[in-house]
Amino acid sequence: MKPPRATNELSALAPFVPGLPGFSHADLFAPAGLARLQAAFVAELKHAAPGTAARYLALLERGNPTREEESWCISAVGLVFETFCARLFGADAALDALSQRALYFEILFEVRRDFVKRRAQKKHKDTVPPNATELDALALRLARELGGPCTGEHVELAFARMVKKLLAAEAAQATDASGAAATDALVQKLAALLTVPAESALATALDSMERFAAHRAHERGAFADWACLTLQHPVDHAALVPLVRPDAAMPNLFEGPLETRRDRPGFDLTDRRRSPAQVAAEIDTCIYCHERKLDSCSLGLHDKDGATKKNPLGISLDGCPLDEHISEAHRFQQAGSSLAALAAIMVNNPMCPGTGHRICNDCMKGCVFQKQEPVNIPQIETRVLTEVLELPWGFELYGLLTRWNPLRVEAPFVPEPNGRRVLVVGLGPAGYTLVEHLALRGFEVVAIDALKLEPLPAELVGSASELPVPVHDAQRLFEALDERIVMGFGGVSEYGITVRWDKNFLALLYLTLARHRSVRFYGGVRFGGTLEVTDAWALGFDHVAMALGAGKPTVVGMKNDLARGIRTASDFLMGLQSSGAFRKDSLAVLQVRLPAIVIGGGLTAIDTATELLAYYLVQIEKEQAFVAKLRATLGAGGLRAMFDDEEWGILEEHLAHAAEWEAERAAAQREGRSARSHALLESWGGVSIVYRRALDESPAYRLNHEEVDKSLEEGVRYYERLSPKEAKLDRFGAVEALVFARVDGSLLE
């Protein structure tokens, strides 16, 4: 999280004043104020929908709602809640803009359903046009000429408008002779644009657009961002990722197609996520299963006898482990009601910044679409959150929903303290989620972690006597991931995963929980060492909750498995993150060499491989700059005297690579392109993952094949069916080669 800022900058030059008479900023944090806010909302609900209010109040009084009752409450009350909150935070105009955008999106999806899917695909599905480039140019030209104006709009919307005009003209000509005259101007313009006779102009235009749409729905190319061309493709569980086997003599080696490779120089966010239109296209595919009590994305896919189904890879299709109300949220989001959608998500998942895109996909696995691509629910969830954070006072809105959410009838707001104290040990996802749920039920919570926690800006957290400074623009809390300070909060989310996921969300969670008046965090406290269980009772805790994680480092059982040059993946990832080695201004001691081999088939192996590739470039850049300063100070002889023969050899290797990388960056700047890092990394040996079984048996492939795909894009190579046997050492006692056993028993070095 960025350093503290002046109060007026955080509050966008104006203090936050709730838009409801009689309420202050303080009321949004105190249990008494939240109770008053709930009462004001109920009064508004009674005025807007008396029957709904009566049923809602009955649910509140009874408690313990069923799944169906929760779903009813979300669907019936959500829009009233959004209107209420929009007034509270002055976000009416911003939410209206989202609703208006949803109307524009509907034009895209109408064209996708009626033209691309039902017409173009049926007529030209397997046809590859010989003039694809000409069709591309024609589609863009017709979009601008007939679908405009498109100033300030994506040309895709102009394309959709143009297609609708063509279809309307076709319908008019087919049903009414007078319709032909009504469309004469359009036909004449088409004839001029296409240089064809007027009588064939409309048919020619529609045929061309059909061929364009059918082709680009499969071969996206420059149209990859067009939501109206997004289709669900069949799923082959034996081939979930595209791969090539480059060496016939090495059939157990594979890599990603060259055309899918992407360069990743550094540790900034590697996946900016899909656009609002693309996410809306995913929702448009959703069939809103909750309306038939078949929302398998939330509750899992089951046989008639109630048993949970498994997919062809043997993965149990249990759905969301949090029973999140996914389908209901999709209904709201597709209508442009992002705030209601987020409230629906947060009924069961208030810590949703820690889930979503590139984190979990149990919901996708359980989607009703099993033979074709499922709805990308994690992308949708993260888009919903992002759009709320982008609202005026968006961070404050999210934070309030962790303390007050009237759609959560079981615990709509934080009550007065219940007098019980709980010690939570561990601040990974399980720990911080437990902190939130305990705080929601009136417990006083102290959470500890053995790792150091960076202190949050005091003005943002507040205190018993001072309110936190309200944040108008949540983006002011975000920072580039390759420059961020590691906060120490989040456990495996902080140290065990890559920057495939925006770790700024961790800072949001940390700050949000720290603002709870009943929550305290302490870092650098090791339970069982610094603090014993008997100390917890002596300090007055009523309960101790252990949230320590289930994983531990794995040491590969091979000869010389503890030699220099070998380390556990978790140790590497922890060292990379906790020391700040990934930062270009850090002097942390973490050295890697290429080629590098990662042994394993899980997500930790993939994270390690991709981070090795990214870190190697950062490492050699820093070494080059530091050595240049030393050489200028000490001279060549003095510099050489600092290192023994082994160290000097490694340094020369790294400096040679750094010179190549510097030359490539300079060439890229001259030629106006991005630097091609993956080609250089591969020439230096690259990074390979070696797994003892086949790819489709690996945990990563079976549970989250998207991460396998992304690693292939970054240039990671894979070797299947190889078991490590021995690490061979060089004259300095460090690893220089590995020996593996093939399935047939032969050895590979």
Side-chain angles (χ1 to χ4, degrees), residues 559-577:
K559 185 178 179 181
N560 297 324
D561 58 1
L562 296 179
R564 276 192 303 114
I566 296 178
R567 64 192 309 163
T568 63
S570 56
D571 177 49
F572 166 74
L573 291 171
M574 176 70 81
L576 177 68
Q577 300 293 331

Side-chain angles (χ1 to χ4, degrees), residues 62-134:
R62 194 196 74 203
N64 195 28
T66 65
R67 173 80 182 186
E68 290 75 17
E69 288 170 334
E70 277 190 340
S71 181
W72 170 85
C73 177
I74 290 168
S75 300
V77 178
L79 292 181
V80 178
F81 160 79
E82 178 165 286
T83 301
F84 183 86
C85 272
R87 190 163 72 254
L88 179 65
F89 284 91
D92 302 78
L95 287 167
D96 286 345
L98 292 178
S99 298
Q100 189 63 36
R101 187 188 67 184
L103 297 177
Y104 290 143
F105 287 163
E106 182 52 37
I107 298 174
L108 302 181
F109 306 139
E110 183 181 345
V111 167
R112 182 175 76 154
R113 290 189 295 267
D114 297 339
F115 183 74
V116 180
K117 287 184 178 181
R118 297 170 185 168
R119 182 164 172 160
Q121 283 291 293
K122 287 185 177 181
K123 293 173 67 173
H124 306 288
K125 181 177 181 180
D126 300 318
T127 303
V128 178
N131 58 339
T133 303
E134 294 176 14

Side-chain angles (χ1 to χ4, degrees), residues 228-566:
C228 69
L229 298 177
T230 302
L231 301 178
Q232 290 173 285
H233 299 294
V235 170
D236 180 358
H237 286 86
L240 292 174
V241 298
L243 54 89
V244 295
R245 299 190 184 272
D247 187 352
M250 183 69 70
N252 55 346
L253 163 66
F254 66 85
E255 56 190 28
L258 281 176
E259 61 270 19
T260 66
R261 299 288 178 86
R262 54 189 169 86
D263 297 296
R264 180 196 159 187
F267 285 86
D268 201 3
L269 186 62
T270 63
D271 189 343
R272 296 287 173 181
R273 303 186 290 274
R274 295 185 186 176
S275 69
Q278 290 172 317
V279 169
E282 292 291 333
I283 303 177
D284 185 64
T285 303
C286 178
I287 60 175
Y288 309 113
C289 302
H290 76 281
E291 295 171 353
R292 295 180 295 283
K293 301 180 182 178
L294 297 173
D295 41 346
S296 56
C297 53
S298 296
L299 304 177
L301 270 173
H302 303 280
D303 293 323
K304 291 182 179 179
D305 61 1
T308 303
K309 291 184 178 181
K310 294 185 177 182
N311 68 14
L313 296 174
I315 300 301
S316 183
L317 304 177
D318 296 307
C320 175
L322 302 175
D323 296 339
E324 187 178 296
H325 287 275
I326 295 167
S327 185
E328 295 91 330
H330 288 182
R331 271 290 189 201
F332 286 131
Q333 181 66 12
Q334 197 68 332
S337 299
S338 298
L339 184 52
L342 182 62
I345 289 169
M346 291 179 64
V347 166
N348 289 342
N349 184 14
M351 297 287 96
C352 59
T355 58
H357 179 49
R358 300 296 292 273
I359 292 294
C360 54
N361 68 351
D362 301 80
C363 50
M364 283 181 71
K365 296 288 186 189
C367 178
V368 70
F369 296 115
Q370 289 293 304
K371 294 184 179 180
Q372 56 189 10
E373 291 175 325
V375 178
N376 197 321
I377 298 162
Q379 284 270 15
I380 298 168
E381 180 186 300
T382 303
R383 167 52 52 185
V384 170
L385 171 66
T386 301
E387 290 189 351
V388 170
L389 291 174
E390 290 172 350
L391 294 172
W393 309 107
F395 172 69
E396 303 299 330
L397 260 168
Y398 166 73
L400 177 60
L401 278 170
T402 67
R403 301 184 296 273
W404 170 69
N405 184 351
L407 306 191
R408 185 178 50 239
V409 293
E410 189 175 7
F413 58 89
V414 174
E416 295 290 348
N418 62 21
R420 296 297 186 95
R421 305 180 70 212
V422 179
L423 176 67
V424 175
V425 183
L427 280 172
Y432 67 65
T433 300
L434 179 60
V435 169
E436 165 65 14
H437 284 284
L438 289 170
L440 266 174
R441 285 155 178 80
F443 290 91
E444 181 183 349
V445 185
V446 173
I448 62 173
D449 200 285
L451 299 172
K452 178 189 176 185
L453 293 177
E454 288 291 332
L456 291 164
E459 62 189 51
L460 290 179
V461 178
S463 65
S465 58
E466 295 288 336
L467 288 173
V469 172
V471 179
H472 181 268
D473 181 2
Q475 195 58 41
R476 295 178 182 273
L477 302 175
F478 282 54
E479 55 190 332
L481 297 189
D482 56 357
E483 298 175 359
R484 66 188 286 268
I485 296 174
V486 176
M487 305 297 291
F489 176 89
V492 67
S493 297
E494 177 68 276
Y495 298 110
I497 64 172
T498 72
V499 288
R500 63 176 188 250
W501 174 67
D502 193 343
K503 292 187 178 182
N504 282 298
F505 287 148
L506 272 182
L508 296 185
L509 287 170
Y510 186 16
L511 177 57
T512 298
L513 290 171
R515 283 176 158 198
H516 275 294
R517 300 299 88 184
S518 60
V519 172
R520 293 292 181 271
F521 293 122
Y522 296 95
V525 180
R526 189 172 67 85
F527 191 70
T530 314
L531 184 71
E532 299 284 353
V533 67
T534 52
D535 299 325
W537 310 137
L539 289 169
F541 288 103
D542 299 288
H543 187 77
V544 177
M546 309 293 285
L548 299 177
K552 65 177 181 179
T554 301
V555 177
V556 178
M558 65 179 175
K559 185 178 179 181
N560 297 324
D561 58 1
L562 296 179
R564 276 192 303 114
I566 296 178

Side-chain angles (χ1 to χ4, degrees), residues 124-156:
H124 306 288
K125 181 177 181 180
D126 300 318
T127 303
V128 178
N131 58 339
T133 303
E134 294 176 14
L135 285 176
D136 293 348
L138 180 61
L140 295 174
R141 185 182 180 194
L142 292 182
R144 293 188 176 96
E145 293 287 343
L146 303 178
C150 56
T151 303
E153 297 176 3
H154 196 288
V155 71
E156 179 187 6

Side-chain angles (χ1 to χ4, degrees), residues 168-227:
E170 181 186 53
Q173 287 186 351
T175 59
D176 186 353
S178 64
T183 60
D184 184 63
L186 174 64
V187 169
Q188 294 301 324
K189 190 169 186 177
L190 282 173
L193 290 170
L194 301 174
T195 61
V196 297
E199 57 268 21
S200 62
L202 181 58
T204 300
L206 280 167
D207 180 71
S208 297
M209 293 305 95
E210 288 168 4
R211 294 177 185 276
F212 161 78
H215 176 59
R216 287 306 176 190
H218 292 278
E219 301 293 334
R220 305 298 297 279
F223 300 88
D225 293 337
W226 280 30

